[in-house]
Amino acid sequence: MENWTRSAKVTYKRWSNPEPGDEGDFVGHTDEDQATDNEICTIASAKVDSGSRESASSSGNNKTAETFSVDDALEVIGFGVFQWKISFVTGFAWVGDSMEMMILSILGPELHCDWSLPSYQVALITSVVFIGMGFSSLLWGNVADKYGRKVGLVISMCWALYFGLLSAFSPVYSWLLALRGFVGFGIGGTPQSVTLYSEFLPVRARGMSIMLMAVFWVLGTVSEVLLALWVMPTLGWRWLLGLSAIPMGIFVSFCFWLPESPRFDALSGRREKAIATLTRIARENGKELPRGKLIEYKQNERGQYKDLFSQQYWKITLLLWFIWFSFAFSYFGIVLLTTELFQTESCGKTQGSSIEPRCSLECKYLTSADYKDLLWTTLAEFPGLLIILFAVDYLGRKKSMAICFFMFSLCILPLYACIGRVALTIFIFIARAFISGGYQVVFVYTPEVFPTEIRALGMGTCSSIARIGALITPFVAQVLLRTSMYLTLSVYCGCSLLAALASIFLPIETRGRSLQESSLDSDR
């Protein structure tokens, strides 16, 4: 952690006016002012707003001035008090997201009994959340790229908080279904917290910092199980829904403290705001900004879908879509398989009667023992997270993802044999540990590989594709499993092996790589 806070030595870039005789926008500043004040140097290109194509020389044709980028500033400032604060604020968004996801496995059995719902209606309560997330992730990504990371994140969290509280007062099934769909629409914007958070981090701290955000996810799932263990026996599911919205309420209460990303401000032409934000970060961390002029990449066309399929990014986009799909498909698949395989009575084919009650309205409330088993299953994600936490910076992002997929497949193979319950539990938990750890690595890689102009959109589209995987996996883990266990396991094993290859074939390794502001940047 000491390496994160240590100031970096920045080599300043020298900027000079390529067109002699042009007049600049630094009139009224002496040469000494231009060399010492934190000003703006605008970088223009064919894709950048032509109105910002201005020179930065006020008197001489060959005079130069020191410049620095947002990356340079963040490297000098380092990881400090400000980054710890924003870690906790954005972390509450992740806690809220994970609690809303975990509640799906608890809410179903209760409503199955309280409202006498058939099995397909119970499953639809889960599906409608993922459908809402799938549609909204694209929207929130576009909003974050065009109007700001903070804008997209805060609006989505306020939306999820509002409808999350309303769902606790649902009078009938149809109302609950609609309101939970709206909750899913809101939490589809949660990945933008990673986009915002990553743009405040120095290079050497980015990988481990984003991985530490996964701790908030696990804390959310554990908190939801503990909350259910306390609330459900006495107060019921309505109180659980209402209390589960508390983390999102905490985030909304403190969101006024969040600044907009200086990278986004610089790309949007908001010169003063970018400098003000960097100055604030430096002040809270007890550091000083580098001297010179801040390079500004002003670009009006941001968040364009076509940019994801440009010659530079089309391969990355398609490979990441498959990797995100595979992580969600495998992660939620192993969660569902855990309970399903425990009920399997034969090795080649599961018995439908042991999984599905003979009467679709037959119900069984979750007991304290069930909640404790659920808690232990959730805690199994910590070992994988700790391993990947260090591997992501030592082995790199690509290798870490590939190893996680490969180990997941390796742990699936013993399930083909007739093994005891203890061995079955061990292999399933190891598989879940690696797939959950790998899932966090892709959250590190994705915002690093896309430039600022399409970073939020890239995260949004990848998140949408992941929701498709989450929608499909119940039909494999629960429906196909009743036909053939071998075929079900082969689907998960094959998908994860292909995803491991896709991770290796990614053209860019982002470990130690600066965040790119524009697709026009060269790989720094």
mmCIF file of all heavy atoms in Angstrom, residues 208-255:
data_model
loop_
_atom_site.group_PDB
_atom_site.id
_atom_site.type_symbol
_atom_site.label_atom_id
_atom_site.label_comp_id
_atom_site.label_asym_id
_atom_site.label_seq_id
_atom_site.Cartn_x
_atom_site.Cartn_y
_atom_site.Cartn_z
ATOM 1 N N MET A 208 -5.378 -3.813 -8.146
ATOM 2 C CA MET A 208 -5.727 -4.302 -6.822
ATOM 3 C C MET A 208 -6.895 -3.519 -6.229
ATOM 4 O O MET A 208 -7.740 -4.085 -5.519
ATOM 5 C CB MET A 208 -4.516 -4.224 -5.888
ATOM 6 C CG MET A 208 -4.741 -4.855 -4.532
ATOM 7 S SD MET A 208 -3.231 -5.027 -3.557
ATOM 8 C CE MET A 208 -2.390 -6.325 -4.474
ATOM 9 N N SER A 209 -6.982 -2.224 -6.531
ATOM 10 C CA SER A 209 -8.072 -1.406 -5.985
ATOM 11 C C SER A 209 -9.425 -1.860 -6.509
ATOM 12 O O SER A 209 -10.393 -1.983 -5.747
ATOM 13 C CB SER A 209 -7.844 0.070 -6.320
ATOM 14 O OG SER A 209 -6.661 0.557 -5.739
ATOM 15 N N ILE A 210 -9.511 -2.098 -7.812
ATOM 16 C CA ILE A 210 -10.781 -2.536 -8.380
ATOM 17 C C ILE A 210 -11.128 -3.942 -7.891
ATOM 18 O O ILE A 210 -12.296 -4.262 -7.647
ATOM 19 C CB ILE A 210 -10.739 -2.479 -9.920
ATOM 20 C CG1 ILE A 210 -10.527 -1.032 -10.394
ATOM 21 C CG2 ILE A 210 -12.027 -3.032 -10.521
ATOM 22 C CD1 ILE A 210 -10.431 -0.870 -11.892
ATOM 23 N N MET A 211 -10.101 -4.784 -7.717
ATOM 24 C CA MET A 211 -10.352 -6.106 -7.167
ATOM 25 C C MET A 211 -10.881 -6.016 -5.737
ATOM 26 O O MET A 211 -11.727 -6.816 -5.321
ATOM 27 C CB MET A 211 -9.064 -6.939 -7.185
ATOM 28 C CG MET A 211 -8.637 -7.399 -8.573
ATOM 29 S SD MET A 211 -9.814 -8.543 -9.305
ATOM 30 C CE MET A 211 -9.717 -9.917 -8.171
ATOM 31 N N LEU A 212 -10.398 -5.037 -4.969
ATOM 32 C CA LEU A 212 -10.888 -4.871 -3.602
ATOM 33 C C LEU A 212 -12.355 -4.471 -3.571
ATOM 34 O O LEU A 212 -13.035 -4.682 -2.565
ATOM 35 C CB LEU A 212 -10.037 -3.821 -2.874
ATOM 36 C CG LEU A 212 -8.646 -4.268 -2.423
ATOM 37 C CD1 LEU A 212 -7.856 -3.089 -1.857
ATOM 38 C CD2 LEU A 212 -8.730 -5.382 -1.391
ATOM 39 N N MET A 213 -12.846 -3.896 -4.671
ATOM 40 C CA MET A 213 -14.263 -3.566 -4.746
ATOM 41 C C MET A 213 -15.115 -4.825 -4.658
ATOM 42 O O MET A 213 -16.274 -4.783 -4.231
ATOM 43 C CB MET A 213 -14.565 -2.832 -6.052
ATOM 44 C CG MET A 213 -13.990 -1.422 -6.129
ATOM 45 S SD MET A 213 -14.835 -0.275 -5.039
ATOM 46 C CE MET A 213 -16.375 -0.079 -5.906
ATOM 47 N N ALA A 214 -14.530 -5.958 -5.060
ATOM 48 C CA ALA A 214 -15.262 -7.219 -4.979
ATOM 49 C C ALA A 214 -15.573 -7.592 -3.544
ATOM 50 O O ALA A 214 -16.525 -8.338 -3.278
ATOM 51 C CB ALA A 214 -14.458 -8.338 -5.648
ATOM 52 N N VAL A 215 -14.778 -7.083 -2.607
ATOM 53 C CA VAL A 215 -15.053 -7.345 -1.197
ATOM 54 C C VAL A 215 -16.415 -6.784 -0.817
ATOM 55 O O VAL A 215 -17.158 -7.388 -0.031
ATOM 56 C CB VAL A 215 -13.949 -6.732 -0.317
ATOM 57 C CG1 VAL A 215 -14.283 -6.876 1.160
ATOM 58 C CG2 VAL A 215 -12.605 -7.388 -0.623
ATOM 59 N N PHE A 216 -16.759 -5.626 -1.379
ATOM 60 C CA PHE A 216 -18.066 -5.033 -1.086
ATOM 61 C C PHE A 216 -19.192 -5.918 -1.617
ATOM 62 O O PHE A 216 -20.266 -6.002 -1.018
ATOM 63 C CB PHE A 216 -18.160 -3.630 -1.689
ATOM 64 C CG PHE A 216 -17.321 -2.609 -0.973
ATOM 65 C CD1 PHE A 216 -16.072 -2.248 -1.454
ATOM 66 C CD2 PHE A 216 -17.780 -2.018 0.182
ATOM 67 C CE1 PHE A 216 -15.300 -1.316 -0.797
ATOM 68 C CE2 PHE A 216 -17.020 -1.073 0.856
ATOM 69 C CZ PHE A 216 -15.769 -0.725 0.360
ATOM 70 N N TRP A 217 -18.954 -6.573 -2.757
ATOM 71 C CA TRP A 217 -19.961 -7.485 -3.304
ATOM 72 C C TRP A 217 -20.202 -8.650 -2.341
ATOM 73 O O TRP A 217 -21.338 -8.993 -2.027
ATOM 74 C CB TRP A 217 -19.514 -8.002 -4.671
ATOM 75 C CG TRP A 217 -20.427 -9.037 -5.244
ATOM 76 C CD1 TRP A 217 -20.396 -10.381 -5.003
ATOM 77 C CD2 TRP A 217 -21.541 -8.835 -6.117
ATOM 78 N NE1 TRP A 217 -21.393 -11.028 -5.680
ATOM 79 C CE2 TRP A 217 -22.121 -10.101 -6.380
ATOM 80 C CE3 TRP A 217 -22.091 -7.707 -6.721
ATOM 81 C CZ2 TRP A 217 -23.217 -10.263 -7.200
ATOM 82 C CZ3 TRP A 217 -23.193 -7.873 -7.549
ATOM 83 C CH2 TRP A 217 -23.752 -9.124 -7.788
ATOM 84 N N VAL A 218 -19.109 -9.261 -1.880
ATOM 85 C CA VAL A 218 -19.238 -10.398 -0.974
ATOM 86 C C VAL A 218 -19.861 -9.950 0.351
ATOM 87 O O VAL A 218 -20.691 -10.664 0.932
ATOM 88 C CB VAL A 218 -17.866 -11.054 -0.737
ATOM 89 C CG1 VAL A 218 -17.997 -12.231 0.216
ATOM 90 C CG2 VAL A 218 -17.264 -11.523 -2.060
ATOM 91 N N LEU A 219 -19.480 -8.775 0.832
ATOM 92 C CA LEU A 219 -20.074 -8.260 2.061
ATOM 93 C C LEU A 219 -21.587 -8.070 1.898
ATOM 94 O O LEU A 219 -22.362 -8.316 2.833
ATOM 95 C CB LEU A 219 -19.432 -6.927 2.450
ATOM 96 C CG LEU A 219 -18.012 -6.989 3.009
ATOM 97 C CD1 LEU A 219 -17.475 -5.578 3.239
ATOM 98 C CD2 LEU A 219 -17.981 -7.787 4.302
ATOM 99 N N GLY A 220 -21.998 -7.656 0.699
ATOM 100 C CA GLY A 220 -23.425 -7.490 0.441
ATOM 101 C C GLY A 220 -24.173 -8.804 0.480
ATOM 102 O O GLY A 220 -25.259 -8.897 1.072
ATOM 103 N N THR A 221 -23.607 -9.832 -0.139
ATOM 104 C CA THR A 221 -24.281 -11.136 -0.149
ATOM 105 C C THR A 221 -24.345 -11.734 1.251
ATOM 106 O O THR A 221 -25.369 -12.300 1.657
ATOM 107 C CB THR A 221 -23.559 -12.110 -1.098
ATOM 108 O OG1 THR A 221 -22.172 -12.214 -0.710
ATOM 109 C CG2 THR A 221 -23.615 -11.614 -2.534
ATOM 110 N N VAL A 222 -23.239 -11.606 1.995
ATOM 111 C CA VAL A 222 -23.229 -12.122 3.365
ATOM 112 C C VAL A 222 -24.226 -11.347 4.230
ATOM 113 O O VAL A 222 -24.970 -11.934 5.032
ATOM 114 C CB VAL A 222 -21.810 -12.034 3.965
ATOM 115 C CG1 VAL A 222 -21.825 -12.370 5.452
ATOM 116 C CG2 VAL A 222 -20.853 -12.965 3.225
ATOM 117 N N SER A 223 -24.257 -10.029 4.062
ATOM 118 C CA SER A 223 -25.185 -9.199 4.843
ATOM 119 C C SER A 223 -26.635 -9.560 4.551
ATOM 120 O O SER A 223 -27.481 -9.555 5.455
ATOM 121 C CB SER A 223 -24.946 -7.718 4.543
ATOM 122 O OG SER A 223 -23.640 -7.320 4.894
ATOM 123 N N GLU A 224 -26.934 -9.876 3.283
ATOM 124 C CA GLU A 224 -28.300 -10.225 2.923
ATOM 125 C C GLU A 224 -28.742 -11.526 3.593
ATOM 126 O O GLU A 224 -29.878 -11.639 4.078
ATOM 127 C CB GLU A 224 -28.422 -10.358 1.402
ATOM 128 C CG GLU A 224 -29.833 -10.593 0.910
ATOM 129 C CD GLU A 224 -30.749 -9.420 1.177
ATOM 130 O OE1 GLU A 224 -30.255 -8.276 1.206
ATOM 131 O OE2 GLU A 224 -31.969 -9.648 1.373
ATOM 132 N N VAL A 225 -27.837 -12.504 3.628
ATOM 133 C CA VAL A 225 -28.169 -13.773 4.276
ATOM 134 C C VAL A 225 -28.369 -13.567 5.776
ATOM 135 O O VAL A 225 -29.324 -14.093 6.370
ATOM 136 C CB VAL A 225 -27.068 -14.817 4.018
ATOM 137 C CG1 VAL A 225 -27.376 -16.110 4.773
ATOM 138 C CG2 VAL A 225 -26.944 -15.108 2.525
ATOM 139 N N LEU A 226 -27.477 -12.796 6.401
ATOM 140 C CA LEU A 226 -27.617 -12.530 7.832
ATOM 141 C C LEU A 226 -28.885 -11.733 8.126
ATOM 142 O O LEU A 226 -29.575 -11.982 9.125
ATOM 143 C CB LEU A 226 -26.390 -11.767 8.341
ATOM 144 C CG LEU A 226 -25.065 -12.541 8.334
ATOM 145 C CD1 LEU A 226 -23.916 -11.631 8.754
ATOM 146 C CD2 LEU A 226 -25.146 -13.754 9.252
ATOM 147 N N LEU A 227 -29.195 -10.775 7.254
ATOM 148 C CA LEU A 227 -30.417 -9.987 7.421
ATOM 149 C C LEU A 227 -31.652 -10.876 7.298
ATOM 150 O O LEU A 227 -32.612 -10.748 8.078
ATOM 151 C CB LEU A 227 -30.462 -8.868 6.380
ATOM 152 C CG LEU A 227 -31.650 -7.906 6.442
ATOM 153 C CD1 LEU A 227 -31.647 -7.133 7.756
ATOM 154 C CD2 LEU A 227 -31.616 -6.936 5.249
ATOM 155 N N ALA A 228 -31.629 -11.780 6.339
ATOM 156 C CA ALA A 228 -32.759 -12.705 6.163
ATOM 157 C C ALA A 228 -32.905 -13.631 7.361
ATOM 158 O O ALA A 228 -34.022 -13.934 7.800
ATOM 159 C CB ALA A 228 -32.569 -13.523 4.889
ATOM 160 N N LEU A 229 -31.774 -14.086 7.902
ATOM 161 C CA LEU A 229 -31.807 -14.964 9.081
ATOM 162 C C LEU A 229 -32.452 -14.259 10.270
ATOM 163 O O LEU A 229 -33.130 -14.887 11.099
ATOM 164 C CB LEU A 229 -30.385 -15.397 9.423
ATOM 165 C CG LEU A 229 -30.197 -16.401 10.564
ATOM 166 C CD1 LEU A 229 -30.926 -17.706 10.257
ATOM 167 C CD2 LEU A 229 -28.721 -16.650 10.813
ATOM 168 N N TRP A 230 -32.297 -12.930 10.330
ATOM 169 C CA TRP A 230 -32.853 -12.153 11.441
ATOM 170 C C TRP A 230 -34.295 -11.708 11.173
ATOM 171 O O TRP A 230 -35.145 -11.755 12.064
ATOM 172 C CB TRP A 230 -31.957 -10.942 11.691
ATOM 173 C CG TRP A 230 -32.538 -9.940 12.648
ATOM 174 C CD1 TRP A 230 -32.944 -10.174 13.940
ATOM 175 C CD2 TRP A 230 -32.799 -8.560 12.385
ATOM 176 N NE1 TRP A 230 -33.433 -9.010 14.505
ATOM 177 C CE2 TRP A 230 -33.351 -7.998 13.572
ATOM 178 C CE3 TRP A 230 -32.598 -7.727 11.288
ATOM 179 C CZ2 TRP A 230 -33.714 -6.664 13.675
ATOM 180 C CZ3 TRP A 230 -32.947 -6.388 11.386
ATOM 181 C CH2 TRP A 230 -33.508 -5.879 12.558
ATOM 182 N N VAL A 231 -34.575 -11.311 9.921
ATOM 183 C CA VAL A 231 -35.853 -10.679 9.609
ATOM 184 C C VAL A 231 -36.940 -11.684 9.244
ATOM 185 O O VAL A 231 -38.092 -11.574 9.710
ATOM 186 C CB VAL A 231 -35.678 -9.650 8.463
ATOM 187 C CG1 VAL A 231 -37.034 -9.168 7.957
ATOM 188 C CG2 VAL A 231 -34.848 -8.478 8.949
ATOM 189 N N MET A 232 -36.616 -12.673 8.426
ATOM 190 C CA MET A 232 -37.640 -13.541 7.854
ATOM 191 C C MET A 232 -38.480 -14.312 8.880
ATOM 192 O O MET A 232 -39.703 -14.404 8.721
ATOM 193 C CB MET A 232 -36.993 -14.512 6.861
ATOM 194 C CG MET A 232 -36.425 -13.830 5.630
ATOM 195 S SD MET A 232 -37.665 -12.963 4.669
ATOM 196 C CE MET A 232 -38.497 -14.347 3.905
ATOM 197 N N PRO A 233 -37.900 -14.862 9.940
ATOM 198 C CA PRO A 233 -38.743 -15.630 10.876
ATOM 199 C C PRO A 233 -39.783 -14.783 11.607
ATOM 200 O O PRO A 233 -40.811 -15.317 12.044
ATOM 201 C CB PRO A 233 -37.718 -16.215 11.861
ATOM 202 C CG PRO A 233 -36.419 -16.185 11.137
ATOM 203 C CD PRO A 233 -36.472 -14.970 10.273
ATOM 204 N N THR A 234 -39.546 -13.472 11.730
ATOM 205 C CA THR A 234 -40.464 -12.647 12.526
ATOM 206 C C THR A 234 -41.191 -11.583 11.716
ATOM 207 O O THR A 234 -42.408 -11.424 11.841
ATOM 208 C CB THR A 234 -39.681 -11.958 13.662
ATOM 209 O OG1 THR A 234 -38.582 -11.211 13.100
ATOM 210 C CG2 THR A 234 -39.139 -12.984 14.639
ATOM 211 N N LEU A 235 -40.455 -10.834 10.880
ATOM 212 C CA LEU A 235 -41.046 -9.691 10.184
ATOM 213 C C LEU A 235 -41.536 -10.021 8.775
ATOM 214 O O LEU A 235 -42.448 -9.371 8.273
ATOM 215 C CB LEU A 235 -40.037 -8.530 10.129
ATOM 216 C CG LEU A 235 -39.567 -8.007 11.496
ATOM 217 C CD1 LEU A 235 -38.509 -6.930 11.323
ATOM 218 C CD2 LEU A 235 -40.751 -7.487 12.297
ATOM 219 N N GLY A 236 -40.915 -10.974 8.107
ATOM 220 C CA GLY A 236 -41.364 -11.383 6.784
ATOM 221 C C GLY A 236 -40.614 -10.725 5.637
ATOM 222 O O GLY A 236 -39.736 -9.880 5.831
ATOM 223 N N TRP A 237 -40.991 -11.127 4.427
ATOM 224 C CA TRP A 237 -40.247 -10.731 3.226
ATOM 225 C C TRP A 237 -40.407 -9.251 2.874
ATOM 226 O O TRP A 237 -39.519 -8.668 2.241
ATOM 227 C CB TRP A 237 -40.658 -11.590 2.033
ATOM 228 C CG TRP A 237 -42.117 -11.483 1.638
ATOM 229 C CD1 TRP A 237 -43.131 -12.259 2.078
ATOM 230 C CD2 TRP A 237 -42.685 -10.556 0.711
ATOM 231 N NE1 TRP A 237 -44.322 -11.882 1.497
ATOM 232 C CE2 TRP A 237 -44.068 -10.843 0.649
ATOM 233 C CE3 TRP A 237 -42.179 -9.527 -0.067
ATOM 234 C CZ2 TRP A 237 -44.943 -10.116 -0.172
ATOM 235 C CZ3 TRP A 237 -43.040 -8.788 -0.882
ATOM 236 C CH2 TRP A 237 -44.415 -9.096 -0.918
ATOM 237 N N ARG A 238 -41.488 -8.601 3.243
ATOM 238 C CA ARG A 238 -41.659 -7.181 2.921
ATOM 239 C C ARG A 238 -40.604 -6.328 3.651
ATOM 240 O O ARG A 238 -40.035 -5.404 3.072
ATOM 241 C CB ARG A 238 -43.069 -6.721 3.283
ATOM 242 C CG ARG A 238 -44.165 -7.376 2.454
ATOM 243 C CD ARG A 238 -45.529 -6.794 2.792
ATOM 244 N NE ARG A 238 -46.604 -7.501 2.104
ATOM 245 C CZ ARG A 238 -46.997 -7.227 0.858
ATOM 246 N NH1 ARG A 238 -46.393 -6.261 0.170
ATOM 247 N NH2 ARG A 238 -47.970 -7.916 0.302
ATOM 248 N N TRP A 239 -40.383 -6.638 4.919
ATOM 249 C CA TRP A 239 -39.346 -5.932 5.655
ATOM 250 C C TRP A 239 -37.962 -6.220 5.074
ATOM 251 O O TRP A 239 -37.093 -5.341 5.052
ATOM 252 C CB TRP A 239 -39.389 -6.334 7.128
ATOM 253 C CG TRP A 239 -40.419 -5.576 7.910
ATOM 254 C CD1 TRP A 239 -41.715 -5.933 8.136
ATOM 255 C CD2 TRP A 239 -40.228 -4.323 8.553
ATOM 256 N NE1 TRP A 239 -42.355 -4.975 8.885
ATOM 257 C CE2 TRP A 239 -41.468 -3.970 9.166
ATOM 258 C CE3 TRP A 239 -39.146 -3.447 8.702
ATOM 259 C CZ2 TRP A 239 -41.637 -2.801 9.895
ATOM 260 C CZ3 TRP A 239 -39.314 -2.282 9.421
ATOM 261 C CH2 TRP A 239 -40.541 -1.962 10.003
ATOM 262 N N LEU A 240 -37.762 -7.441 4.601
ATOM 263 C CA LEU A 240 -36.470 -7.787 3.990
ATOM 264 C C LEU A 240 -36.223 -6.949 2.745
ATOM 265 O O LEU A 240 -35.111 -6.443 2.527
ATOM 266 C CB LEU A 240 -36.433 -9.276 3.647
ATOM 267 C CG LEU A 240 -35.113 -9.786 3.065
ATOM 268 C CD1 LEU A 240 -33.986 -9.668 4.089
ATOM 269 C CD2 LEU A 240 -35.247 -11.234 2.600
ATOM 270 N N LEU A 241 -37.259 -6.790 1.909
ATOM 271 C CA LEU A 241 -37.114 -5.964 0.715
ATOM 272 C C LEU A 241 -36.799 -4.517 1.073
ATOM 273 O O LEU A 241 -35.936 -3.876 0.457
ATOM 274 C CB LEU A 241 -38.395 -6.022 -0.124
ATOM 275 C CG LEU A 241 -38.635 -7.280 -0.956
ATOM 276 C CD1 LEU A 241 -39.986 -7.195 -1.657
ATOM 277 C CD2 LEU A 241 -37.531 -7.464 -1.979
ATOM 278 N N GLY A 242 -37.500 -3.988 2.060
ATOM 279 C CA GLY A 242 -37.268 -2.601 2.439
ATOM 280 C C GLY A 242 -35.903 -2.373 3.047
ATOM 281 O O GLY A 242 -35.190 -1.427 2.664
ATOM 282 N N LEU A 243 -35.487 -3.238 3.969
ATOM 283 C CA LEU A 243 -34.189 -3.076 4.627
ATOM 284 C C LEU A 243 -33.024 -3.335 3.674
ATOM 285 O O LEU A 243 -31.929 -2.796 3.875
ATOM 286 C CB LEU A 243 -34.101 -4.014 5.831
ATOM 287 C CG LEU A 243 -35.058 -3.707 6.986
ATOM 288 C CD1 LEU A 243 -34.959 -4.783 8.071
ATOM 289 C CD2 LEU A 243 -34.772 -2.332 7.578
ATOM 290 N N SER A 244 -33.254 -4.147 2.648
ATOM 291 C CA SER A 244 -32.188 -4.442 1.682
ATOM 292 C C SER A 244 -31.831 -3.225 0.832
ATOM 293 O O SER A 244 -30.784 -3.208 0.175
ATOM 294 C CB SER A 244 -32.604 -5.600 0.771
ATOM 295 O OG SER A 244 -32.792 -6.786 1.509
ATOM 296 N N ALA A 245 -32.683 -2.216 0.836
ATOM 297 C CA ALA A 245 -32.412 -0.998 0.060
ATOM 298 C C ALA A 245 -31.559 0.003 0.827
ATOM 299 O O ALA A 245 -31.200 1.053 0.271
ATOM 300 C CB ALA A 245 -33.735 -0.349 -0.356
ATOM 301 N N ILE A 246 -31.226 -0.291 2.088
ATOM 302 C CA ILE A 246 -30.464 0.655 2.907
ATOM 303 C C ILE A 246 -29.109 1.021 2.288
ATOM 304 O O ILE A 246 -28.748 2.209 2.253
ATOM 305 C CB ILE A 246 -30.280 0.094 4.337
ATOM 306 C CG1 ILE A 246 -31.619 0.126 5.084
ATOM 307 C CG2 ILE A 246 -29.224 0.885 5.105
ATOM 308 C CD1 ILE A 246 -31.556 -0.450 6.484
ATOM 309 N N PRO A 247 -28.291 0.053 1.800
ATOM 310 C CA PRO A 247 -26.999 0.444 1.205
ATOM 311 C C PRO A 247 -27.142 1.417 0.037
ATOM 312 O O PRO A 247 -26.328 2.342 -0.096
ATOM 313 C CB PRO A 247 -26.408 -0.894 0.750
ATOM 314 C CG PRO A 247 -27.040 -1.908 1.639
ATOM 315 C CD PRO A 247 -28.429 -1.416 1.863
ATOM 316 N N MET A 248 -28.151 1.220 -0.811
ATOM 317 C CA MET A 248 -28.366 2.165 -1.904
ATOM 318 C C MET A 248 -28.760 3.527 -1.360
ATOM 319 O O MET A 248 -28.382 4.568 -1.910
ATOM 320 C CB MET A 248 -29.427 1.631 -2.864
ATOM 321 C CG MET A 248 -28.972 0.443 -3.689
ATOM 322 S SD MET A 248 -30.141 -0.036 -4.971
ATOM 323 C CE MET A 248 -31.486 -0.685 -3.971
ATOM 324 N N GLY A 249 -29.531 3.535 -0.262
ATOM 325 C CA GLY A 249 -29.884 4.802 0.371
ATOM 326 C C GLY A 249 -28.664 5.519 0.920
ATOM 327 O O GLY A 249 -28.567 6.750 0.830
ATOM 328 N N ILE A 250 -27.722 4.760 1.488
ATOM 329 C CA ILE A 250 -26.479 5.363 1.993
ATOM 330 C C ILE A 250 -25.687 5.964 0.842
ATOM 331 O O ILE A 250 -25.153 7.082 0.944
ATOM 332 C CB ILE A 250 -25.647 4.309 2.745
ATOM 333 C CG1 ILE A 250 -26.393 3.845 3.999
ATOM 334 C CG2 ILE A 250 -24.276 4.865 3.108
ATOM 335 C CD1 ILE A 250 -25.694 2.722 4.746
ATOM 336 N N PHE A 251 -25.602 5.241 -0.283
ATOM 337 C CA PHE A 251 -24.881 5.775 -1.440
ATOM 338 C C PHE A 251 -25.517 7.073 -1.925
ATOM 339 O O PHE A 251 -24.815 8.052 -2.182
ATOM 340 C CB PHE A 251 -24.863 4.748 -2.577
ATOM 341 C CG PHE A 251 -24.339 5.316 -3.869
ATOM 342 C CD1 PHE A 251 -22.980 5.424 -4.089
ATOM 343 C CD2 PHE A 251 -25.209 5.774 -4.847
ATOM 344 C CE1 PHE A 251 -22.490 5.974 -5.266
ATOM 345 C CE2 PHE A 251 -24.738 6.316 -6.025
ATOM 346 C CZ PHE A 251 -23.369 6.421 -6.236
ATOM 347 N N VAL A 252 -26.840 7.080 -2.072
ATOM 348 C CA VAL A 252 -27.529 8.275 -2.557
ATOM 349 C C VAL A 252 -27.316 9.445 -1.600
ATOM 350 O O VAL A 252 -27.175 10.593 -2.020
ATOM 351 C CB VAL A 252 -29.035 7.985 -2.745
ATOM 352 C CG1 VAL A 252 -29.811 9.261 -3.035
ATOM 353 C CG2 VAL A 252 -29.241 6.979 -3.874
ATOM 354 N N SER A 253 -27.254 9.161 -0.293
ATOM 355 C CA SER A 253 -27.059 10.217 0.693
ATOM 356 C C SER A 253 -25.689 10.871 0.576
ATOM 357 O O SER A 253 -25.530 12.060 0.872
ATOM 358 C CB SER A 253 -27.231 9.653 2.111
ATOM 359 O OG SER A 253 -28.532 9.126 2.293
ATOM 360 N N PHE A 254 -24.680 10.110 0.153
ATOM 361 C CA PHE A 254 -23.315 10.631 0.064
ATOM 362 C C PHE A 254 -22.882 10.927 -1.368
ATOM 363 O O PHE A 254 -21.732 11.324 -1.587
ATOM 364 C CB PHE A 254 -22.332 9.637 0.688
ATOM 365 C CG PHE A 254 -22.380 9.586 2.181
ATOM 366 C CD1 PHE A 254 -23.173 8.650 2.827
ATOM 367 C CD2 PHE A 254 -21.652 10.482 2.953
ATOM 368 C CE1 PHE A 254 -23.234 8.597 4.214
ATOM 369 C CE2 PHE A 254 -21.698 10.439 4.338
ATOM 370 C CZ PHE A 254 -22.495 9.494 4.974
ATOM 371 N N CYS A 255 -23.768 10.754 -2.338
ATOM 372 C CA CYS A 255 -23.362 10.932 -3.734
ATOM 373 C C CYS A 255 -23.025 12.383 -4.057
ATOM 374 O O CYS A 255 -22.310 12.651 -5.031
ATOM 375 C CB CYS A 255 -24.448 10.415 -4.683
ATOM 376 S SG CYS A 255 -25.970 11.379 -4.660
#
